[in-house]
Amino acid sequence: MVLRTPITPFTKWASQASVAKLAATASWIPQPWRINEQKQSMATVLHPVTQDATSSKGPTAMVFMNMGGPSTTNEVGDFLSRLFADGDLIPLGRLQNYLGPLISRRRTPKIQKQYAAIGGGSPIRKWSEYQSSEMCKILDRISPETAPHRPYVAFRYADPLTEEMYTKLLEDGFGRGKGGRAVAFTQYPQYSCSTTGSSLNELWKWRERLEGNRAMGAAEPDGAITWSVIDRWPVHSGLIEAFAQNVEAQLATYPEERRKDVVLLFSAHSLPMSVVNRGDTYPAEVAATVYAVMQRLGFSNPYRLCWQSQVGPSAWLGAQTSDTVQEYVKKGQTDLVLIPIAFTSDHIETLFELDQEVIHEAGHPGVKRAESLNGSPVFIQALADIAHAHLRSGESCSRQMGLRCQGCKSERCLEQKKFFVGQSNLLSVR
């Protein structure tokens, strides 16, 4: 099992397994969408817009943020290089610039095999472009005052990268003295500094380079893009309904006389305890999602929250998903449904770790997995409802986002939060 692969001391927890599992973004779309079609984009071709040819507050750019993933095995090397360069996700200290490239080169062949095993690459770009495009169609109907809504995708480690997205925004008529509104919509329902926080740090960095003080001089430029952030949505009713429907569909595959005794195992990516102890809100928000789903299900089944993808020798948040399944099977509890609760589409942690490792090693047909959200119409409607409420609120971010973790020492995090919280002053005059 990949999780148990030994690692060398200098990599700490940044092992080959951690690359695949911390990436948490590769996914596979079943036939008939084949891997050789992944180079094609499902996004609508957007023509440049002008700020005076729209509705009263439009156009509005809706930017989906995620880690991204390599669409083909040939892209794995570049993906890993960017991933290991990110100290928010894989902290390697002062040796980051040396160890990052070294580790990525060593791990690339093995990670390529894992992506090959789930279909040859990650279709997360297709899912993200599809979800964002369909969401914007709904928004154009329910929020005409902020229409047209333009879908964009900004990945942290794969194309389209954050800087590519920002350049496209400028080319499409946003900013550069023309103003315009953009919403950064994280596709991590539960906030973590290592995921949403890292993406926002990157967005703020490129905003400063392309539009901010570093690009225009000391003074804040007029006509720059006004940003706001949907930074978390762990208990939104539409999200909960989408999860619950997928759980119910899988429960229906068990004989009726056994159904109520099936154990529901909600699985999310673990975090090192050093991150948890710093004050990261992710564990609490994941738990809130789980409890809300069980409320919607009427607490019909016994359940547990467990954590997958622990790697390396340091302490991680547990109990681990793989150990949990093995222990229950040993105890004779062989009807188990695994529920990936912290992602919006399939990825390497569901299709490889859960399907090909955990379930395979359980060796029992009663161990199954609920479908991921992927193209669920209920989920896409939820995205539109979340975005609509945000646009109507006039807020630049949640109240939670302005509060730093208790143990945070990152000046970059501080400046990023100050920027996005400060955008509320500009939203109030739109």
Side-chain angles (χ1 to χ4, degrees):
M1 188 168 170
V2 172
L3 286 174
R4 298 167 188 158
T5 302
I7 65 170
T8 55
F10 79 87
T11 63
K12 296 185 179 179
W13 56 274
S15 69
Q16 174 263 333
S18 71
V19 177
K21 296 175 174 94
L22 282 169
T25 55
S27 33
W28 173 68
I29 299 178
Q31 302 293 337
W33 286 355
R34 300 180 184 275
I35 293 304
N36 61 2
E37 294 175 316
Q38 289 183 351
K39 296 180 181 178
Q40 301 177 10
S41 169
M42 292 178 65
T44 304
V45 176
L46 303 178
H47 299 287
V49 296
T50 58
Q51 301 299 310
D52 58 357
T54 62
S55 54
S56 60
K57 296 183 180 180
T60 306
M62 304 300 299
V63 180
F64 272 30
M65 298 189 308
N66 212 323
M67 284 188 181
S71 295
T72 68
T73 55
N74 290 334
E75 298 174 17
V76 169
D78 289 341
F79 171 72
L80 297 185
S81 294
R82 298 183 187 109
L83 187 145
F84 275 109
D86 181 12
D88 290 327
L89 183 67
I90 302 178
L92 300 173
R94 290 179 294 178
L95 295 178
Q96 189 97 34
N97 292 336
Y98 170 74
L99 290 179
L102 177 63
I103 297 171
S104 65
R105 285 195 302 270
R106 288 167 57 94
R107 304 308 180 194
T108 292
K110 292 183 179 180
I111 302 303
Q112 285 176 323
K113 291 180 181 179
Q114 292 189 3
Y115 280 107
I118 63 169
S122 168
I124 192 170
R125 180 171 183 169
K126 281 193 171 186
W127 278 130
S128 297
E129 289 177 343
Y130 175 76
Q131 292 167 343
S132 61
S133 178
E134 292 301 301
M135 180 198 71
C136 284
K137 292 176 184 177
I138 298 174
L139 281 176
D140 284 347
R141 294 199 311 268
I142 66 177
S143 185
E145 67 274 12
T146 53
H149 301 88
R150 306 294 194 184
Y152 296 84
V153 172
F155 285 154
R156 187 67 180 84
Y157 312 114
D159 294 332
L161 296 166
T162 304
E163 58 266 38
E164 296 171 10
M165 176 280 301
Y166 214 117
T167 300
K168 186 69 165 60
L169 277 179
L170 299 176
E171 292 173 350
D172 285 350
F174 293 89
R176 287 181 174 163
K178 301 174 185 177
R181 170 81 184 274
V183 178
F185 193 166
T186 180
Q187 290 307 291
Y188 304 99
Q190 305 92 2
Y191 183 94
S192 174
C193 296
S194 62
T195 53
T196 298
S198 177
S199 289
L200 289 175
N201 285 341
E202 188 75 356
L203 176 60
W204 171 75
K205 180 185 78 175
W206 284 102
R207 189 269 176 188
E208 289 296 289
R209 290 184 179 181
L210 297 176
E211 280 203 290
N213 297 342
R214 295 170 64 178
M216 306 298 180
E220 190 69 14
D222 293 328
I225 298 170
T226 300
W227 283 95
S228 64
V229 180
I230 302 173
D231 50 270
R232 69 200 73 206
W233 33 288
V235 293
H236 184 270
S237 59
L239 173 71
I240 301 308
E241 180 64 25
F243 276 132
Q245 288 188 13
N246 285 353
V247 174
E248 289 174 330
Q250 190 60 272
L251 282 173
T253 66
Y254 293 86
E256 187 173 359
E257 65 272 14
R258 290 161 45 194
R259 197 170 298 158
K260 65 180 177 59
D261 296 320
V262 175
V263 174
L264 306 181
L265 295 180
F266 294 89
S267 185
H269 199 294
S270 187
L271 283 179
M273 288 306 297
S274 60
V275 177
V276 175
N277 292 337
R278 191 175 62 206
D280 199 289
T281 62
Y282 174 75
E285 294 187 13
V286 172
T289 305
V290 170
Y291 194 81
V293 172
M294 290 309 303
Q295 280 187 314
R296 158 60 179 78
L297 294 172
F299 296 97
S300 59
N301 293 72
Y303 70 98
R304 286 293 185 273
L305 169 57
C306 45
W307 307 87
Q308 65 186 84
S309 312
Q310 174 177 338
V311 288
S314 62
W316 282 61
L317 187 63
Q320 287 295 304
T321 302
S322 56
D323 295 340
T324 298
V325 170
Q326 290 291 336
E327 289 301 321
Y328 277 130
V329 169
K330 288 178 183 178
K331 291 178 172 66
Q333 178 63 54
T334 55
D335 287 342
L336 306 167
V337 173
L338 292 162
I339 305 154
I341 198 65
F343 303 96
T344 57
S345 66
D346 271 323
H347 47 86
I348 204 164
E349 288 166 309
T350 59
L351 296 165
F352 187 83
E353 183 180 352
L354 294 184
D355 291 353
Q356 298 189 32
E357 289 188 330
V358 175
I359 293 177
H360 176 74
E361 291 191 2
H364 197 282
V367 181
K368 305 178 183 181
R369 177 174 69 84
E371 289 293 324
S372 298
L373 298 176
N374 294 336
S376 162
V378 174
F379 173 62
I380 292 172
Q381 180 65 53
L383 293 174
D385 292 341
I386 293 166
H388 187 207
H390 175 76
L391 291 168
R392 294 178 61 188
S393 72
E395 297 177 349
S396 62
C397 60
S398 73
R399 297 281 293 175
Q400 274 287 73
M401 187 176 145
L403 181 65
R404 299 173 75 188
C405 294
Q406 300 95 304
C408 180
K409 300 293 192 297
S410 171
E411 290 301 314
R412 180 174 55 175
C413 175
L414 173 62
E415 293 303 316
Q416 170 253 112
K417 287 180 179 293
K418 286 166 59 177
F419 169 76
F420 286 114
V421 170
Q423 291 286 282
S424 60
N425 296 327
L426 300 178
L427 292 173
S428 64
V429 299
R430 280 180 60 85

